[in-house]
Amino acid sequence: MTIIRLNDQIRLTRKEIEVFTKITDIEPVGIRTLEDLEAYVARCKAHYWGVSEQTEFVHWLIDREYRQCRQVA
C-alpha cells in the first residue's frame, strides 16, 4: 500500500480504503491530512472499545495499517 502525499495533503489509495473498511466496517471518507487519518483511527477505536481479545485484535489491526500509512507518508 502506498499512501499518496503532496505537501501536507494525503490521499489514501483504493487498497488502503478497502483494508480500513474491511477491518473497521467504517469507510475512511474525507481523509486529507495525517490529522484526519489520526482522527479516523481514534474514532474507529472508540467505536470498538473494550478489553476483550477480539477488541484488542481489532485495535492491533487498525494500528498496523495506520503505521504502514505513516511510514510511507
Side-chain angles (χ1 to χ4, degrees):
M1 292 190 286
T2 54
I3 194 172
I4 300 168
R5 182 173 189 167
L6 178 62
N7 299 323
D8 291 337
Q9 298 291 311
I10 66 168
R11 180 175 175 195
L12 298 177
T13 63
R14 185 175 307 157
K15 182 66 176 172
E16 290 165 335
I17 292 170
E18 288 174 5
V19 170
F20 274 119
T21 302
K22 186 174 184 177
I23 293 169
T24 65
D25 202 32
I26 302 170
E27 188 174 356
V29 294
I31 308 295
R32 300 286 183 252
T33 64
L34 289 174
E35 291 78 20
D36 293 341
L37 183 57
E38 289 172 11
Y40 167 77
V41 166
R43 189 169 58 248
C44 291
K45 286 180 165 186
H47 182 75
Y48 296 104
W49 62 274
V51 294
S52 70
E53 288 182 20
Q54 293 86 355
T55 300
E56 289 179 8
F57 182 65
V58 169
H59 284 210
W60 178 82
L61 287 172
I62 293 168
D63 287 337
R64 185 186 68 179
E65 296 307 317
Y66 173 71
R67 279 192 307 274
Q68 287 180 350
C69 288
R70 286 294 307 225
Q71 286 175 353
V72 174

